[in-house]
Amino acid sequence: MKRYLFFLCLCCLPALLSAQSQTSATAADKDKPPYLQFPFIPAFPLTLPDGHVITKNDLKKNTQTIVFIFSVDCDHCKHLTEEVLKNIDKFKKTQILMITPFKPEQMKEYYNTYKIKDYPNIVMTSEPTRQIMYYYNLHYFPGLFVYNKKQQFVKGFEGTVKLEQLTEYLN
């Protein structure tokens, strides 16, 4: 009888071990930030400087996209914005979706200061609910997230980034 129980336990052991590894894999996925669990541009409602609300469905299709999350009072963000604008030719095949978690009124000042309306491949928006911060698990500004033409995640950066690092992932 003891041998039978021992044999039965040995037979069940592989099934128990595989169930444990599947549970661990699921737990590991839950520890990933949402942008890695769902590797596509999020569909949050975003407010344009003129007050209109858009989502990712309003962006250009079949175009590489950079999601640039910025703070209106961040010096690193301002510097990177200036660098991108100086080198806008490097981004002519890329749409840049700039999102701030600040209120639209604060975004408008930034928009006007950098004359963003003069750059047709840049869309500046506000997402004041700050869900964008949680989606990207962002701790430092700026946050830059590169998506391919199918709007699938390619590479992310948080904090200070050099333009060369970013353009390395562009077509």
Side-chain angles (χ1 to χ4, degrees):
M1 182 69 170
K2 287 182 183 182
R3 285 185 182 173
Y4 176 73
L5 282 174
F6 180 71
F7 180 73
L8 184 62
C9 287
L10 282 178
C11 290
C12 293
L13 189 60
L16 292 172
L17 289 175
S18 90
Q20 180 63 34
S21 67
Q22 288 174 353
T23 303
S24 297
T26 305
D29 285 345
K30 288 181 182 178
D31 289 341
K32 289 182 183 178
Y35 78 96
L36 293 175
Q37 291 180 41
F38 310 101
F40 43 82
I41 297 173
F44 298 118
L46 305 167
T47 305
L48 295 169
D50 66 4
H52 285 88
V53 176
I54 64 166
T55 67
K56 73 175 187 174
N57 298 332
D58 297 303
L59 298 175
K60 294 177 190 171
K61 307 293 185 242
N62 300 315
T63 303
Q64 189 167 15
T65 303
I66 296 174
V67 174
F68 179 171
I69 302 172
F70 70 101
S71 167
V72 296
D73 57 5
C74 165
D75 289 334
H76 297 285
C77 300
K78 292 174 183 178
H79 178 72
L80 186 60
T81 300
E82 291 166 4
E83 285 295 308
V84 167
L85 297 179
K86 283 180 197 172
N87 295 282
I88 198 69
D89 289 345
K90 294 180 181 179
F91 299 94
K92 57 182 148 183
K93 293 182 181 178
T94 304
Q95 66 183 330
I96 302 170
L97 176 61
M98 294 182 72
I99 305 172
T100 185
F102 289 83
K103 295 183 182 196
E105 301 80 41
Q106 294 168 294
M107 173 197 55
K108 285 180 193 176
E109 185 179 327
Y110 198 97
Y111 180 83
N112 291 330
T113 299
Y114 292 102
K115 299 178 171 84
I116 299 300
K117 68 178 177 182
D118 296 341
Y119 302 94
N121 61 325
I122 300 177
V123 177
M124 186 176 283
T125 64
S126 169
E127 196 284 305
T129 67
R130 303 184 73 81
Q131 288 188 35
I132 199 77
M133 301 291 289
Y134 300 115
Y135 183 80
Y136 286 108
N137 194 28
L138 199 61
H139 299 98
Y140 305 102
F141 288 110
L144 293 146
F145 302 90
V146 180
Y147 291 85
N148 65 19
K149 290 180 179 184
K150 295 179 182 178
Q151 295 189 342
Q152 295 173 329
F153 178 73
V154 175
K155 179 71 176 169
F157 301 92
E158 184 175 356
T160 304
V161 63
K162 294 185 180 188
L163 202 59
E164 297 79 35
Q165 291 175 284
L166 183 61
T167 56
E168 179 180 320
Y169 292 92
L170 303 179
N171 293 334

